Amino acid sequence: MKRNLNRRDFLKVAGLTGLGIAAVACQPAQTTPEATQEVAAPTATSEAIQVKEETPTPVPTLAEAKYKQSPYLDSMTDLPPVEERISANPLVTAPRESIGKYGGTLRTVSWWPEAGNIQLYISEPPIKWKEDLTGYEPALAEAYEWSDDGLTFTLHMRKGVRWSDGEPYTSADWKFWWEDMALNEDYKVITVPGYMRKSDGSPIDMEFPDEYTVVWKSDIPQWVAPYYLAQGYWEFMGPSAKMKPAHFLKKYHPKYDSTKKYDDLSAIDKWQQTPGYPTVMAYYCKSVSEDGQKYLWARNPYYWRVDTEGNQLPYIDEISVEIISDEQARILALTSGKFDISFRGGGSPNDIPLFQEKASAGGYRMLEGWMNGAGAWPGYMVNDYYVEGGKYYDDDTPEHAKEIRDLLRDKRFRKALSWGVDRQRVIDVAWSGIGEPKQATISPQSWHFSSPQGQEVYKKWAAADASLDIEGANKALDEIGMKVGADGFRTLPSGKPFTLVMMVTDWGGSLKVQTDCAAEVQAQWQTNLKIKVEVQNLQGQPNVDTLTNEGQYMIRGAHVSEIDIMTYPDWIFPIVNRYYMPLEGRYYAKGKDTCKADPAIPYDCGVKPEPGSPAEKLQALYVQASQTKTVEDRHKLVWDAIQIHIDEGPFIIGISGDQRMPIIANTKLHNILDYGVVGPWAPDTPGNQVMAQWYFE
């Protein structure tokens, strides 16, 4: 199957040409000169692929009807013939380069027991991202559809699919997940996700009319909700997700065995490290080392994909996963050639020269088309509703917090911060020149930008308030009434001393980059704007999320990226309790005016957005978009929301974005897709490709 690959150029925007620039020493910040050069809108990209979501990728036909299997399975004499194992309608997958060869063990690495970055390799949800990230298509599911009003969604399972132990995979497995886990109030590990709830917060109705049909029914349109299945391994494969083999897990469920406890169920419900746990993916866990640091995943004899010559996939027989917690140790192992592939395994854009230097000796090649997909790396979230509780000053009172809140909510202040930083200098100091100076956006590769009109929206957003304008910034601060005090720094409009507190962690994967960036931005704001800035490195501190979610922070460093904002709305739409509008988001998430607050918990129901405020407008747009039928019309509503960010923001001050990432592959490894994003986890990348077709030469 030949795919249109011109989107690759779109993915490979800024960052590639900077790799030859010598590293810039992270020297102490110098006084930034007055206005240098305006930040131009990102250069025009290649013509965007325009794919309608309801048009599935063409399925290739088999060259012949005879099916074949890996020699790895030949000794398993108890297996049924391959044609009886691959489902009644196997999914035919055309190779990227060529028909592969069976055999081999893929060596790869993670840093924590869940090995989520490896789970993304083999992710096989019912609905899957197209490999060019322009929309969705059926995968494990055979088909899906909506009623005309969108209130009913029907998932048609692929008939004849079996779990890796040979048991049938049917709607009974979905029913087990729904009734015995998600709706089970005694089992706290799994709950009904927000996208599967009605307008009053109660669970949708789920029906199972036959062995291969699952129906979702709600009182609000379901146009967006099913696409959550394609977002990240946690939605379908993880412990709290939906891939639940009922025949296996019932043995550990108290409902079916009174001698068991729910702790027994949660302990066993980890497919990646439970030998013999049945999966419907290309691999299952075969064994785990005694120290728990090495997993061996073996091919699923009942996997339901074949290539165009009828060869049952996957080509590679086993995956060896090693857990190495220390990043520098992982980088050393990767550059030595110990592992065959690494997406998110270790290293940042600053490590690319090292990976390139060691490639020949390590027996690997660099995949050049994989970007971080950052809309901002770093970005600085400005808390829209700052409240007391952070203990940043002695008089931590609601009255003092309100004056700071009013300042942070004043768009003149936010724009002044954005105008007051020389982005290219920060990039030179922290990223060795790698990256595109820009305002905070979501990922440039987002499908919301895949049309020419969408690209224009992106370019306008990326350039908004992103030019250095020290004179304009100081004029705005003067208008607010922030006078320069005797200590040389600006005060609050009341005349009280003011310190802008910036929290940073390793959000985005590199603490050094975050601290280097923060130090440079701190120096520039203090020099250019006369605003006193305190940087707090809270890496590993238990109060980081509390300060963020409770609205008790002023500014926090962040990594901003996302492909489908409708399924991960946080960066544009404040409908959950986090990021730049945490308390307004809590108000929405907890049922708005229906929330019953616990008087002992401050802001338990969040804060209702003020009439006409950006938060109110953005929440209304999300509701409208989620109830809009067509993809094109939803994109337009996202663009409307972006315009609010341009006009009323920035709510997140971006510095740089879309850096290339160090992705390596063994020189003998083939059929690997060489474009994508690995910054945002929600779009399931690199699971947008079919890892089952990788093979060793």
PDB file of all heavy atoms in Angstrom, residues 106-109 115-124 128 233 237 297 319 341-345 664 684-692 694:
ATOM      1  N   LEU A 106      13.998  -8.343  19.308  1.00  0.00           N
ATOM      2  CA  LEU A 106      14.192  -6.896  19.330  1.00  0.00           C
ATOM      3  C   LEU A 106      14.569  -6.472  20.741  1.00  0.00           C
ATOM      4  O   LEU A 106      13.828  -6.707  21.690  1.00  0.00           O
ATOM      5  CB  LEU A 106      12.900  -6.191  18.901  1.00  0.00           C
ATOM      6  CG  LEU A 106      12.987  -4.670  18.794  1.00  0.00           C
ATOM      7  CD1 LEU A 106      13.653  -4.278  17.478  1.00  0.00           C
ATOM      8  CD2 LEU A 106      11.604  -4.034  18.899  1.00  0.00           C
ATOM      9  N   ARG A 107      15.727  -5.843  20.891  1.00  0.00           N
ATOM     10  CA  ARG A 107      16.200  -5.384  22.200  1.00  0.00           C
ATOM     11  C   ARG A 107      15.874  -3.901  22.362  1.00  0.00           C
ATOM     12  O   ARG A 107      16.240  -3.083  21.518  1.00  0.00           O
ATOM     13  CB  ARG A 107      17.709  -5.594  22.322  1.00  0.00           C
ATOM     14  CG  ARG A 107      18.190  -7.021  22.080  1.00  0.00           C
ATOM     15  CD  ARG A 107      19.700  -7.051  21.867  1.00  0.00           C
ATOM     16  NE  ARG A 107      20.090  -6.214  20.727  1.00  0.00           N
ATOM     17  CZ  ARG A 107      21.345  -5.822  20.484  1.00  0.00           C
ATOM     18  NH1 ARG A 107      22.324  -6.183  21.304  1.00  0.00           N
ATOM     19  NH2 ARG A 107      21.614  -5.062  19.427  1.00  0.00           N
ATOM     20  N   THR A 108      15.193  -3.576  23.463  1.00  0.00           N
ATOM     21  CA  THR A 108      14.835  -2.180  23.688  1.00  0.00           C
ATOM     22  C   THR A 108      14.811  -1.881  25.182  1.00  0.00           C
ATOM     23  O   THR A 108      15.002  -2.786  26.004  1.00  0.00           O
ATOM     24  CB  THR A 108      13.500  -1.839  23.006  1.00  0.00           C
ATOM     25  OG1 THR A 108      13.277  -0.436  23.065  1.00  0.00           O
ATOM     26  CG2 THR A 108      12.349  -2.573  23.668  1.00  0.00           C
ATOM     27  N   VAL A 109      14.588  -0.611  25.539  1.00  0.00           N
ATOM     28  CA  VAL A 109      14.814  -0.193  26.918  1.00  0.00           C
ATOM     29  C   VAL A 109      13.733   0.770  27.397  1.00  0.00           C
ATOM     30  O   VAL A 109      13.196   1.564  26.625  1.00  0.00           O
ATOM     31  CB  VAL A 109      16.214   0.464  27.044  1.00  0.00           C
ATOM     32  CG1 VAL A 109      16.290   1.752  26.230  1.00  0.00           C
ATOM     33  CG2 VAL A 109      16.577   0.722  28.503  1.00  0.00           C
ATOM     34  N   ALA A 115       6.844   0.315  31.667  1.00  0.00           N
ATOM     35  CA  ALA A 115       7.426   0.299  30.312  1.00  0.00           C
ATOM     36  C   ALA A 115       6.462   0.880  29.283  1.00  0.00           C
ATOM     37  O   ALA A 115       6.297   0.344  28.186  1.00  0.00           O
ATOM     38  CB  ALA A 115       7.834  -1.123  29.923  1.00  0.00           C
ATOM     39  N   GLY A 116       5.836   1.995  29.644  1.00  0.00           N
ATOM     40  CA  GLY A 116       4.833   2.579  28.773  1.00  0.00           C
ATOM     41  C   GLY A 116       5.370   2.980  27.416  1.00  0.00           C
ATOM     42  O   GLY A 116       4.659   2.883  26.406  1.00  0.00           O
ATOM     43  N   ASN A 117       6.625   3.436  27.358  1.00  0.00           N
ATOM     44  CA  ASN A 117       7.171   3.830  26.060  1.00  0.00           C
ATOM     45  C   ASN A 117       7.293   2.639  25.118  1.00  0.00           C
ATOM     46  O   ASN A 117       7.197   2.792  23.894  1.00  0.00           O
ATOM     47  CB  ASN A 117       8.532   4.517  26.235  1.00  0.00           C
ATOM     48  CG  ASN A 117       9.582   3.620  26.857  1.00  0.00           C
ATOM     49  OD1 ASN A 117       9.318   2.922  27.839  1.00  0.00           O
ATOM     50  ND2 ASN A 117      10.785   3.629  26.314  1.00  0.00           N
ATOM     51  N   ILE A 118       7.453   1.427  25.670  1.00  0.00           N
ATOM     52  CA  ILE A 118       7.510   0.225  24.824  1.00  0.00           C
ATOM     53  C   ILE A 118       6.098  -0.253  24.498  1.00  0.00           C
ATOM     54  O   ILE A 118       5.838  -0.754  23.400  1.00  0.00           O
ATOM     55  CB  ILE A 118       8.302  -0.912  25.508  1.00  0.00           C
ATOM     56  CG1 ILE A 118       9.612  -0.378  26.087  1.00  0.00           C
ATOM     57  CG2 ILE A 118       8.575  -2.032  24.508  1.00  0.00           C
ATOM     58  CD1 ILE A 118      10.522   0.255  25.087  1.00  0.00           C
ATOM     59  N   GLN A 119       5.180  -0.106  25.446  1.00  0.00           N
ATOM     60  CA  GLN A 119       3.798  -0.480  25.153  1.00  0.00           C
ATOM     61  C   GLN A 119       3.266   0.294  23.947  1.00  0.00           C
ATOM     62  O   GLN A 119       2.463  -0.230  23.163  1.00  0.00           O
ATOM     63  CB  GLN A 119       2.911  -0.230  26.371  1.00  0.00           C
ATOM     64  CG  GLN A 119       3.195  -1.147  27.554  1.00  0.00           C
ATOM     65  CD  GLN A 119       2.046  -1.184  28.545  1.00  0.00           C
ATOM     66  OE1 GLN A 119       0.891  -1.326  28.166  1.00  0.00           O
ATOM     67  NE2 GLN A 119       2.363  -1.053  29.820  1.00  0.00           N
ATOM     68  N   LEU A 120       3.724   1.545  23.800  1.00  0.00           N
ATOM     69  CA  LEU A 120       3.279   2.346  22.666  1.00  0.00           C
ATOM     70  C   LEU A 120       3.717   1.735  21.330  1.00  0.00           C
ATOM     71  O   LEU A 120       3.049   1.931  20.309  1.00  0.00           O
ATOM     72  CB  LEU A 120       3.821   3.766  22.779  1.00  0.00           C
ATOM     73  CG  LEU A 120       3.226   4.646  23.883  1.00  0.00           C
ATOM     74  CD1 LEU A 120       4.009   5.946  23.985  1.00  0.00           C
ATOM     75  CD2 LEU A 120       1.767   4.934  23.637  1.00  0.00           C
ATOM     76  N   TYR A 121       4.846   0.992  21.318  1.00  0.00           N
ATOM     77  CA  TYR A 121       5.303   0.375  20.074  1.00  0.00           C
ATOM     78  C   TYR A 121       4.224  -0.527  19.486  1.00  0.00           C
ATOM     79  O   TYR A 121       3.989  -0.545  18.287  1.00  0.00           O
ATOM     80  CB  TYR A 121       6.535  -0.509  20.303  1.00  0.00           C
ATOM     81  CG  TYR A 121       7.823   0.143  20.681  1.00  0.00           C
ATOM     82  CD1 TYR A 121       7.899   1.476  21.054  1.00  0.00           C
ATOM     83  CD2 TYR A 121       9.007  -0.597  20.692  1.00  0.00           C
ATOM     84  CE1 TYR A 121       9.108   2.042  21.421  1.00  0.00           C
ATOM     85  CE2 TYR A 121      10.217  -0.036  21.051  1.00  0.00           C
ATOM     86  CZ  TYR A 121      10.261   1.285  21.430  1.00  0.00           C
ATOM     87  OH  TYR A 121      11.456   1.843  21.797  1.00  0.00           O
ATOM     88  N   ILE A 122       3.627  -1.326  20.361  1.00  0.00           N
ATOM     89  CA  ILE A 122       2.765  -2.420  19.892  1.00  0.00           C
ATOM     90  C   ILE A 122       1.297  -2.150  20.157  1.00  0.00           C
ATOM     91  O   ILE A 122       0.476  -3.063  20.113  1.00  0.00           O
ATOM     92  CB  ILE A 122       3.192  -3.751  20.551  1.00  0.00           C
ATOM     93  CG1 ILE A 122       3.045  -3.689  22.070  1.00  0.00           C
ATOM     94  CG2 ILE A 122       4.625  -4.103  20.176  1.00  0.00           C
ATOM     95  CD1 ILE A 122       3.335  -5.017  22.741  1.00  0.00           C
ATOM     96  N   SER A 123       0.975  -0.901  20.416  1.00  0.00           N
ATOM     97  CA  SER A 123      -0.404  -0.537  20.720  1.00  0.00           C
ATOM     98  C   SER A 123      -1.345  -0.919  19.584  1.00  0.00           C
ATOM     99  O   SER A 123      -1.107  -0.583  18.426  1.00  0.00           O
ATOM    100  CB  SER A 123      -0.490   0.969  20.983  1.00  0.00           C
ATOM    101  OG  SER A 123      -1.804   1.360  21.272  1.00  0.00           O
ATOM    102  N   GLU A 124      -2.401  -1.619  19.912  1.00  0.00           N
ATOM    103  CA  GLU A 124      -3.374  -2.065  18.910  1.00  0.00           C
ATOM    104  C   GLU A 124      -4.795  -1.835  19.433  1.00  0.00           C
ATOM    105  O   GLU A 124      -5.543  -2.772  19.679  1.00  0.00           O
ATOM    106  CB  GLU A 124      -3.175  -3.558  18.596  1.00  0.00           C
ATOM    107  CG  GLU A 124      -1.889  -3.870  17.873  1.00  0.00           C
ATOM    108  CD  GLU A 124      -1.961  -3.542  16.377  1.00  0.00           C
ATOM    109  OE1 GLU A 124      -2.983  -2.975  15.926  1.00  0.00           O
ATOM    110  OE2 GLU A 124      -0.999  -3.871  15.665  1.00  0.00           O
ATOM    111  N   LYS A 128      -7.424   3.377  15.645  1.00  0.00           N
ATOM    112  CA  LYS A 128      -6.005   3.695  15.629  1.00  0.00           C
ATOM    113  C   LYS A 128      -5.767   4.971  14.821  1.00  0.00           C
ATOM    114  O   LYS A 128      -6.499   5.273  13.877  1.00  0.00           O
ATOM    115  CB  LYS A 128      -5.245   2.527  14.986  1.00  0.00           C
ATOM    116  CG  LYS A 128      -3.732   2.574  15.028  1.00  0.00           C
ATOM    117  CD  LYS A 128      -3.180   1.318  14.369  1.00  0.00           C
ATOM    118  CE  LYS A 128      -1.663   1.295  14.291  1.00  0.00           C
ATOM    119  NZ  LYS A 128      -1.048   1.005  15.589  1.00  0.00           N
ATOM    120  N   TYR A 233      -1.325   4.300  25.423  1.00  0.00           N
ATOM    121  CA  TYR A 233      -1.489   2.903  25.836  1.00  0.00           C
ATOM    122  C   TYR A 233      -2.424   2.765  27.018  1.00  0.00           C
ATOM    123  O   TYR A 233      -3.060   1.730  27.228  1.00  0.00           O
ATOM    124  CB  TYR A 233      -0.119   2.280  26.174  1.00  0.00           C
ATOM    125  CG  TYR A 233       0.497   2.798  27.451  1.00  0.00           C
ATOM    126  CD1 TYR A 233       0.300   2.141  28.655  1.00  0.00           C
ATOM    127  CD2 TYR A 233       1.279   3.953  27.459  1.00  0.00           C
ATOM    128  CE1 TYR A 233       0.853   2.621  29.833  1.00  0.00           C
ATOM    129  CE2 TYR A 233       1.834   4.438  28.619  1.00  0.00           C
ATOM    130  CZ  TYR A 233       1.618   3.773  29.803  1.00  0.00           C
ATOM    131  OH  TYR A 233       2.160   4.255  30.967  1.00  0.00           O
ATOM    132  N   MET A 237      -4.582  -0.496  26.823  1.00  0.00           N
ATOM    133  CA  MET A 237      -3.690  -1.562  27.245  1.00  0.00           C
ATOM    134  C   MET A 237      -3.285  -1.499  28.713  1.00  0.00           C
ATOM    135  O   MET A 237      -2.930  -2.519  29.299  1.00  0.00           O
ATOM    136  CB  MET A 237      -2.421  -1.530  26.388  1.00  0.00           C
ATOM    137  CG  MET A 237      -2.666  -1.740  24.913  1.00  0.00           C
ATOM    138  SD  MET A 237      -1.346  -1.027  23.896  1.00  0.00           S
ATOM    139  CE  MET A 237       0.085  -1.825  24.566  1.00  0.00           C
ATOM    140  N   TRP A 297       8.920 -10.550  25.838  1.00  0.00           N
ATOM    141  CA  TRP A 297       7.598 -10.639  25.238  1.00  0.00           C
ATOM    142  C   TRP A 297       7.704 -11.480  23.970  1.00  0.00           C
ATOM    143  O   TRP A 297       8.584 -11.261  23.137  1.00  0.00           O
ATOM    144  CB  TRP A 297       7.060  -9.256  24.883  1.00  0.00           C
ATOM    145  CG  TRP A 297       6.912  -8.332  26.072  1.00  0.00           C
ATOM    146  CD1 TRP A 297       6.954  -8.657  27.390  1.00  0.00           C
ATOM    147  CD2 TRP A 297       6.718  -6.915  26.015  1.00  0.00           C
ATOM    148  NE1 TRP A 297       6.783  -7.537  28.171  1.00  0.00           N
ATOM    149  CE2 TRP A 297       6.632  -6.453  27.354  1.00  0.00           C
ATOM    150  CE3 TRP A 297       6.591  -5.990  24.987  1.00  0.00           C
ATOM    151  CZ2 TRP A 297       6.441  -5.108  27.673  1.00  0.00           C
ATOM    152  CZ3 TRP A 297       6.391  -4.660  25.292  1.00  0.00           C
ATOM    153  CH2 TRP A 297       6.313  -4.223  26.625  1.00  0.00           C
ATOM    154  N   ILE A 319      10.470  -9.673  21.889  1.00  0.00           N
ATOM    155  CA  ILE A 319      10.959  -8.356  22.298  1.00  0.00           C
ATOM    156  C   ILE A 319      11.570  -8.490  23.685  1.00  0.00           C
ATOM    157  O   ILE A 319      10.915  -8.972  24.619  1.00  0.00           O
ATOM    158  CB  ILE A 319       9.835  -7.305  22.338  1.00  0.00           C
ATOM    159  CG1 ILE A 319       9.165  -7.159  20.971  1.00  0.00           C
ATOM    160  CG2 ILE A 319      10.382  -5.958  22.798  1.00  0.00           C
ATOM    161  CD1 ILE A 319       8.003  -6.183  20.959  1.00  0.00           C
ATOM    162  N   ILE A 341      16.395  -0.467  19.063  1.00  0.00           N
ATOM    163  CA  ILE A 341      15.459   0.607  18.738  1.00  0.00           C
ATOM    164  C   ILE A 341      15.206   1.420  19.999  1.00  0.00           C
ATOM    165  O   ILE A 341      15.249   0.885  21.116  1.00  0.00           O
ATOM    166  CB  ILE A 341      14.124   0.039  18.186  1.00  0.00           C
ATOM    167  CG1 ILE A 341      13.241   1.136  17.584  1.00  0.00           C
ATOM    168  CG2 ILE A 341      13.366  -0.724  19.248  1.00  0.00           C
ATOM    169  CD1 ILE A 341      13.623   1.550  16.199  1.00  0.00           C
ATOM    170  N   SER A 342      14.962   2.707  19.823  1.00  0.00           N
ATOM    171  CA  SER A 342      14.625   3.535  20.983  1.00  0.00           C
ATOM    172  C   SER A 342      13.775   4.721  20.556  1.00  0.00           C
ATOM    173  O   SER A 342      14.228   5.602  19.824  1.00  0.00           O
ATOM    174  CB  SER A 342      15.892   4.046  21.678  1.00  0.00           C
ATOM    175  OG  SER A 342      15.536   4.984  22.697  1.00  0.00           O
ATOM    176  N   PHE A 343      12.514   4.705  20.971  1.00  0.00           N
ATOM    177  CA  PHE A 343      11.648   5.872  20.927  1.00  0.00           C
ATOM    178  C   PHE A 343      11.423   6.282  22.380  1.00  0.00           C
ATOM    179  O   PHE A 343      10.915   5.488  23.170  1.00  0.00           O
ATOM    180  CB  PHE A 343      10.301   5.545  20.285  1.00  0.00           C
ATOM    181  CG  PHE A 343      10.357   5.288  18.805  1.00  0.00           C
ATOM    182  CD1 PHE A 343      10.536   4.005  18.323  1.00  0.00           C
ATOM    183  CD2 PHE A 343      10.211   6.328  17.902  1.00  0.00           C
ATOM    184  CE1 PHE A 343      10.571   3.760  16.961  1.00  0.00           C
ATOM    185  CE2 PHE A 343      10.251   6.094  16.537  1.00  0.00           C
ATOM    186  CZ  PHE A 343      10.432   4.801  16.059  1.00  0.00           C
ATOM    187  N   ARG A 344      11.814   7.478  22.748  1.00  0.00           N
ATOM    188  CA  ARG A 344      11.682   7.976  24.123  1.00  0.00           C
ATOM    189  C   ARG A 344      12.567   7.214  25.117  1.00  0.00           C
ATOM    190  O   ARG A 344      12.368   7.304  26.315  1.00  0.00           O
ATOM    191  CB  ARG A 344      10.235   7.895  24.624  1.00  0.00           C
ATOM    192  CG  ARG A 344       9.222   8.705  23.829  1.00  0.00           C
ATOM    193  CD  ARG A 344       7.853   8.620  24.499  1.00  0.00           C
ATOM    194  NE  ARG A 344       6.838   9.372  23.794  1.00  0.00           N
ATOM    195  CZ  ARG A 344       6.122   8.900  22.781  1.00  0.00           C
ATOM    196  NH1 ARG A 344       6.327   7.660  22.355  1.00  0.00           N
ATOM    197  NH2 ARG A 344       5.206   9.640  22.205  1.00  0.00           N
ATOM    198  N   GLY A 345      13.526   6.450  24.621  1.00  0.00           N
ATOM    199  CA  GLY A 345      14.347   5.662  25.523  1.00  0.00           C
ATOM    200  C   GLY A 345      15.388   6.465  26.264  1.00  0.00           C
ATOM    201  O   GLY A 345      15.830   6.065  27.345  1.00  0.00           O
ATOM    202  N   ILE A 664      16.849   6.125  17.393  1.00  0.00           N
ATOM    203  CA  ILE A 664      17.814   5.243  16.741  1.00  0.00           C
ATOM    204  C   ILE A 664      17.176   3.916  16.369  1.00  0.00           C
ATOM    205  O   ILE A 664      16.191   3.483  16.971  1.00  0.00           O
ATOM    206  CB  ILE A 664      19.043   4.982  17.631  1.00  0.00           C
ATOM    207  CG1 ILE A 664      18.662   4.139  18.860  1.00  0.00           C
ATOM    208  CG2 ILE A 664      19.689   6.291  18.058  1.00  0.00           C
ATOM    209  CD1 ILE A 664      19.851   3.585  19.607  1.00  0.00           C
ATOM    210  N   ASP A 684      -0.354   8.192  21.012  1.00  0.00           N
ATOM    211  CA  ASP A 684       0.056   6.792  20.897  1.00  0.00           C
ATOM    212  C   ASP A 684       1.265   6.574  20.004  1.00  0.00           C
ATOM    213  O   ASP A 684       1.575   5.440  19.651  1.00  0.00           O
ATOM    214  CB  ASP A 684      -1.111   5.949  20.360  1.00  0.00           C
ATOM    215  CG  ASP A 684      -1.259   4.632  21.110  1.00  0.00           C
ATOM    216  OD1 ASP A 684      -0.560   4.438  22.109  1.00  0.00           O
ATOM    217  OD2 ASP A 684      -2.091   3.804  20.702  1.00  0.00           O
ATOM    218  N   THR A 685       1.944   7.636  19.598  1.00  0.00           N
ATOM    219  CA  THR A 685       3.127   7.458  18.764  1.00  0.00           C
ATOM    220  C   THR A 685       4.252   6.821  19.584  1.00  0.00           C
ATOM    221  O   THR A 685       4.391   7.130  20.767  1.00  0.00           O
ATOM    222  CB  THR A 685       3.609   8.813  18.235  1.00  0.00           C
ATOM    223  OG1 THR A 685       3.735   9.712  19.337  1.00  0.00           O
ATOM    224  CG2 THR A 685       2.643   9.391  17.222  1.00  0.00           C
ATOM    225  N   PRO A 686       5.050   5.913  19.023  1.00  0.00           N
ATOM    226  CA  PRO A 686       5.113   5.537  17.606  1.00  0.00           C
ATOM    227  C   PRO A 686       4.104   4.478  17.180  1.00  0.00           C
ATOM    228  O   PRO A 686       4.270   3.856  16.129  1.00  0.00           O
ATOM    229  CB  PRO A 686       6.543   5.008  17.474  1.00  0.00           C
ATOM    230  CG  PRO A 686       6.797   4.353  18.792  1.00  0.00           C
ATOM    231  CD  PRO A 686       6.109   5.246  19.807  1.00  0.00           C
ATOM    232  N   GLY A 687       3.078   4.260  18.007  1.00  0.00           N
ATOM    233  CA  GLY A 687       2.062   3.274  17.658  1.00  0.00           C
ATOM    234  C   GLY A 687       1.183   3.670  16.500  1.00  0.00           C
ATOM    235  O   GLY A 687       0.294   2.911  16.114  1.00  0.00           O
ATOM    236  N   ASN A 688       1.410   4.858  15.901  1.00  0.00           N
ATOM    237  CA  ASN A 688       0.680   5.195  14.679  1.00  0.00           C
ATOM    238  C   ASN A 688       1.150   4.326  13.514  1.00  0.00           C
ATOM    239  O   ASN A 688       0.453   4.197  12.516  1.00  0.00           O
ATOM    240  CB  ASN A 688       0.840   6.681  14.334  1.00  0.00           C
ATOM    241  CG  ASN A 688       2.297   7.111  14.205  1.00  0.00           C
ATOM    242  OD1 ASN A 688       3.106   6.836  15.082  1.00  0.00           O
ATOM    243  ND2 ASN A 688       2.633   7.793  13.124  1.00  0.00           N
ATOM    244  N   GLN A 689       2.339   3.727  13.654  1.00  0.00           N
ATOM    245  CA  GLN A 689       2.800   2.779  12.641  1.00  0.00           C
ATOM    246  C   GLN A 689       2.471   1.362  13.107  1.00  0.00           C
ATOM    247  O   GLN A 689       1.968   1.149  14.205  1.00  0.00           O
ATOM    248  CB  GLN A 689       4.296   2.927  12.425  1.00  0.00           C
ATOM    249  CG  GLN A 689       5.150   2.600  13.639  1.00  0.00           C
ATOM    250  CD  GLN A 689       6.613   2.908  13.425  1.00  0.00           C
ATOM    251  OE1 GLN A 689       7.224   2.421  12.488  1.00  0.00           O
ATOM    252  NE2 GLN A 689       7.169   3.750  14.278  1.00  0.00           N
ATOM    253  N   VAL A 690       2.732   0.378  12.263  1.00  0.00           N
ATOM    254  CA  VAL A 690       2.494  -1.020  12.614  1.00  0.00           C
ATOM    255  C   VAL A 690       3.842  -1.661  12.895  1.00  0.00           C
ATOM    256  O   VAL A 690       4.566  -2.073  11.986  1.00  0.00           O
ATOM    257  CB  VAL A 690       1.758  -1.767  11.487  1.00  0.00           C
ATOM    258  CG1 VAL A 690       1.545  -3.236  11.872  1.00  0.00           C
ATOM    259  CG2 VAL A 690       0.417  -1.100  11.198  1.00  0.00           C
ATOM    260  N   MET A 691       4.199  -1.722  14.176  1.00  0.00           N
ATOM    261  CA  MET A 691       5.495  -2.272  14.561  1.00  0.00           C
ATOM    262  C   MET A 691       5.614  -3.747  14.159  1.00  0.00           C
ATOM    263  O   MET A 691       6.720  -4.264  13.951  1.00  0.00           O
ATOM    264  CB  MET A 691       5.665  -2.099  16.076  1.00  0.00           C
ATOM    265  CG  MET A 691       6.928  -2.690  16.660  1.00  0.00           C
ATOM    266  SD  MET A 691       6.633  -4.357  17.286  1.00  0.00           S
ATOM    267  CE  MET A 691       8.312  -4.959  17.417  1.00  0.00           C
ATOM    268  N   ALA A 692       4.474  -4.439  14.035  1.00  0.00           N
ATOM    269  CA  ALA A 692       4.504  -5.869  13.713  1.00  0.00           C
ATOM    270  C   ALA A 692       5.170  -6.157  12.378  1.00  0.00           C
ATOM    271  O   ALA A 692       5.554  -7.293  12.105  1.00  0.00           O
ATOM    272  CB  ALA A 692       3.085  -6.432  13.713  1.00  0.00           C
ATOM    273  N   TRP A 694       8.022  -4.645  11.391  1.00  0.00           N
ATOM    274  CA  TRP A 694       9.473  -4.486  11.484  1.00  0.00           C
ATOM    275  C   TRP A 694      10.145  -5.858  11.311  1.00  0.00           C
ATOM    276  O   TRP A 694       9.611  -6.883  11.779  1.00  0.00           O
ATOM    277  CB  TRP A 694       9.876  -3.918  12.841  1.00  0.00           C
ATOM    278  CG  TRP A 694       9.393  -2.524  13.122  1.00  0.00           C
ATOM    279  CD1 TRP A 694       8.736  -1.690  12.275  1.00  0.00           C
ATOM    280  CD2 TRP A 694       9.536  -1.817  14.358  1.00  0.00           C
ATOM    281  NE1 TRP A 694       8.455  -0.500  12.899  1.00  0.00           N
ATOM    282  CE2 TRP A 694       8.937  -0.549  14.182  1.00  0.00           C
ATOM    283  CE3 TRP A 694      10.104  -2.112  15.585  1.00  0.00           C
ATOM    284  CZ2 TRP A 694       8.887   0.403  15.198  1.00  0.00           C
ATOM    285  CZ3 TRP A 694      10.072  -1.169  16.607  1.00  0.00           C
ATOM    286  CH2 TRP A 694       9.467   0.078  16.405  1.00  0.00           C
TER     287      TRP A 694
END
